[in-house]
Amino acid sequence: AQSVTQPDIHITVSEGASLELRCNYSYGATPYLFWYVQSPGQGLQLLLKYFSGDTLVQGIKGFEAEFKRSQSSFNLRKPSVHWSDAAEYFCAVGPNNAGNMLTFGGGTRLMVKP
Amino acid sequence: EPEVTQTPSHQVTQMGQEVILRCVPISNHLYFYWYRQILGQKVEFLVSFYNNEISEKSEIFDDQFSVERPDGSNFTLKIRSTKLEDSAMYFCASSVGTPQYFGPGTRLLVL
């Protein structure tokens, strides 16, 4: 069965500091991997996705993520955090075909100190 | 930029009542989904829908749930007889293939 683990429930960083949110997955085949962000009162916005090819993928809002097959990880990074990045971040995994379920991690809530 | 929309944003209902949650997927999308997130828990898959039929469903999606695409634009989730444990945020999503794009959610509270 597929599963996603986000080990950090809460993370607090200072504005301007770098950020790394961890995501580990368990999946039997080649996965599609995603990061979504949920701001307060908002839906889930897609930040970036990995399907194949270059293991470092770029997303919106200056985020990037690196797929490491050997570690079953897909960590999200940002070099310099802005106060507006405070939100909850979800990693998700799915099969490489359409119409099938995504499995989400428990989420990491990011707080940004001024 | 096209978005998935959902109505209502909030709904309060009494236990045992029927509720219908509505979604308007992105217009050229072919696959439609419902997920839910109970407060403090993970986002969970309920059902996916393609070509006017269910393509996949989870254990959560039992006989009290149903989905329908009543016309060319709406996609609905019906909960026939709501239970207290159905209180959650319900997200609709749509896709051409992958990835899935999510709406803002409907917060359902069952009293």
Side-chain angles (χ1 to χ4, degrees), chain A residues 33-48:
Chain A
L33 293 157
F34 309 87
W35 276 98
Y36 287 87
V37 59
Q38 184 180 30
S39 299
Q42 304 293 313
L44 297 165
Q45 181 182 22
L46 179 69
L47 278 179
L48 48 76

Side-chain angles (χ1 to χ4, degrees), chain A residues 34-65:
Chain A
F34 309 87
W35 276 98
Y36 287 87
V37 59
Q38 184 180 30
S39 299
Q42 304 293 313
L44 297 165
Q45 181 182 22
L46 179 69
L47 278 179
L48 48 76
K49 57 189 183 289
Y50 173 77
F51 293 163
S52 64
D54 192 346
T55 57
L56 185 63
V57 293
Q58 303 297 319
I60 62 172
K61 304 185 181 187
F63 285 92
E64 66 179 26

Side-chain angles (χ1 to χ4, degrees), chain A residues 4 32 34 36 38 43-44 46 49 51 90 98-102 104-106, chain B residues 31 33 35 37 42-43 45 48 55-56 91 97-104:
Chain A
V4 179
Y32 281 5
F34 309 87
Y36 287 87
Q38 184 180 30
L44 297 165
L46 179 69
K49 57 189 183 289
F51 293 163
F90 293 92
N100 293 108
M101 60 182 284
L102 293 180
F104 283 82
Chain B
Y31 298 88
Y33 314 82
Y35 291 79
Q37 184 182 29
K42 294 185 178 186
V43 176
F45 171 79
S48 60
S55 52
E56 188 178 13
F91 292 106
T98 306
Q100 298 173 23
Y101 294 89
F102 286 77

